[in-house]
Amino acid sequence: MQKIRFSDNTVRAVLVAVSMGIAVTHASEGVVRKAYFGQTHQHTGWSFDANIYNVQLGPENAFKHARGDKVKHPWGYFAQLRKPLDFMVVSDHGEYLGVIKMMNNPDNPISLHPKAAAVRESGSDVDASTRAFYGLVASAASGGELDADKVLNFPGLRISNWNRMIDIVDEYNDPGTFTTLAGFEWSSQPYGMNLHRNIIFRDTEKLPRMPFTYFDSGDPQDLWKWMDKERDEGVTLLAIPHNGNLSQGLMFPDVVLGDISGEELGSESDEDNRPAIDNAYAIARMRNEKLTEII
């Protein structure tokens, strides 16, 4: 199967064109290029938050819908796009990727996890789902020291689920007709302040062993270092921040925040005592984050 999707420059041009709804013109040639329309931020039942709130359908359903198939909506009715998309990125959260869905399968050992019963029994009860959600990610949401569940965050499980996701991406890729791109969401959210980024890959020939998650670090600079390392290994990728309006200004700071998870904001770690961003910071960010998503 042909796996090459777009060149990295084309991906950036396509995403800008999609956000602006315009055709792309090559400055030197004066040739009008075709604008491609697609989705770069899509969650399925493989994301812990969507699954806890009773979304059980996986990336297969998302790709089918994007390419124009008639599919079943998580609420039970059928839906179909009037005009199919040109490309799709399923960017499920890297944290506990695909793991919560396993809790609903009685034949899977993960269904015996101590927190599985609360997830399964919450059903369509929003309050019960919310309790199950915070029971799973309370430290991440509150800004406390991150303490990933050792079973749910087991590296072998993370690698296995990531590889399965890549297989699904390849299965639905149809070069020249419908392009699927691999991706995931890095979900840093110290004290509830959104620093999320969607990480998107040009192709599946060169990919990381597993996603870099909030449990690895909540510091965007650590994410960029990881991206630089992967780029040195031949991986082509970019990050797209989103919902900066929910970051209380932290998405675009004028000081270097570092990883503020577990710190007591407003004390010695207050922004006034942090170094200002410098040229190296700006270059690193521009190298990895050339776009931002506005919702």
Side-chain angles (χ1 to χ4, degrees):
M1 176 182 290
Q2 182 180 350
K3 295 184 179 180
I4 298 298
R5 276 67 173 170
F6 300 118
S7 71
D8 52 343
N9 288 330
T10 303
V11 169
R12 290 195 288 268
V14 165
L15 297 176
V16 172
V18 168
S19 66
M20 299 179 65
I22 60 174
V24 182
T25 302
H26 193 286
S28 60
E29 298 178 4
V31 178
V32 176
R33 308 291 187 181
K34 182 178 179 180
Y36 294 93
F37 293 84
Q39 170 69 289
T40 62
H41 187 174
Q42 179 69 47
H43 293 305
T44 76
W46 281 45
S47 284
F48 65 87
D49 51 356
N51 192 282
I52 288 175
Y53 285 95
N54 212 30
V55 174
Q56 300 298 320
L57 298 174
E60 300 93 338
N61 199 66
F63 287 135
K64 288 177 182 178
H65 180 252
R67 73 183 182 185
D69 294 7
K70 184 177 182 179
V71 300
K72 191 173 184 179
H73 188 276
W75 287 358
Y77 61 85
F78 286 89
Q80 186 174 23
L81 293 178
R82 285 178 289 182
K83 184 173 178 58
L85 300 181
D86 297 307
F87 67 91
M88 164 69 83
V89 182
V90 170
S91 55
D92 280 315
H93 292 284
E95 296 77 16
Y96 299 146
L97 177 69
V99 174
I100 307 306
K101 185 174 178 61
M102 295 176 171
M103 291 180 171
N104 294 294
N105 180 1
D107 295 326
N108 193 300
I110 296 296
S111 66
L112 302 176
H113 189 278
K115 295 182 179 179
V119 172
R120 284 195 304 273
E121 294 167 4
S122 65
S124 57
D125 185 324
V126 175
D127 291 337
S129 295
T130 300
R131 287 193 295 273
F133 174 82
Y134 281 105
L136 192 69
V137 298
S139 63
S142 66
E145 294 291 348
L146 298 183
D147 185 20
D149 186 283
K150 290 180 174 56
V151 173
L152 303 184
N153 198 48
F154 179 65
L157 193 58
R158 293 171 63 186
I159 293 170
S160 175
N161 284 352
W162 175 237
N163 287 339
R164 175 57 187 147
M165 174 66 79
I166 300 312
D167 287 343
I168 296 171
V169 170
D170 284 337
E171 179 182 351
Y172 285 90
N173 186 52
D174 186 6
T177 301
F178 176 65
T179 296
T180 57
L181 295 163
F184 66 88
E185 182 167 347
W186 177 72
S187 315
S188 178
Q189 192 157 326
Y191 298 92
M193 295 177 285
N194 180 80
L195 298 179
H196 295 200
R197 272 86 165 163
N198 287 320
I199 315 302
I200 302 174
F201 303 90
R202 186 181 71 182
D203 57 62
T204 58
E205 294 292 342
K206 285 280 191 177
L207 289 173
R209 292 178 66 243
M210 57 185 168
F212 184 86
T213 74
Y214 188 17
F215 299 133
D216 297 308
S217 175
D219 184 355
Q221 289 184 280
D222 287 338
L223 172 66
W224 303 337
K225 290 175 184 176
W226 175 83
M227 292 177 67
D228 287 339
K229 181 177 180 296
E230 292 296 330
R231 196 174 288 113
D232 289 342
E233 296 293 326
V235 178
T236 302
L237 71 171
L238 76 158
I240 305 180
H242 67 83
N243 280 104
N245 57 308
L246 299 178
S247 70
Q248 298 188 33
L250 297 187
M251 184 68 82
F252 301 102
D254 54 8
V255 295
V256 177
L257 293 173
D259 188 349
I260 61 175
S261 300
E263 292 186 3
E264 185 178 347
L265 297 183
S267 61
E268 291 80 17
S269 59
D270 187 71
E271 286 190 28
D272 291 340
N273 297 313
R274 298 177 185 273
I277 61 173
D278 56 15
N279 192 52
Y281 177 101
I283 290 173
R285 182 163 199 177
M286 190 61 189
R287 183 170 58 248
N288 291 291
E289 299 180 0
K290 297 178 182 294
L291 300 170
T292 189
E293 175 186 331
I294 300 175
I295 300 178

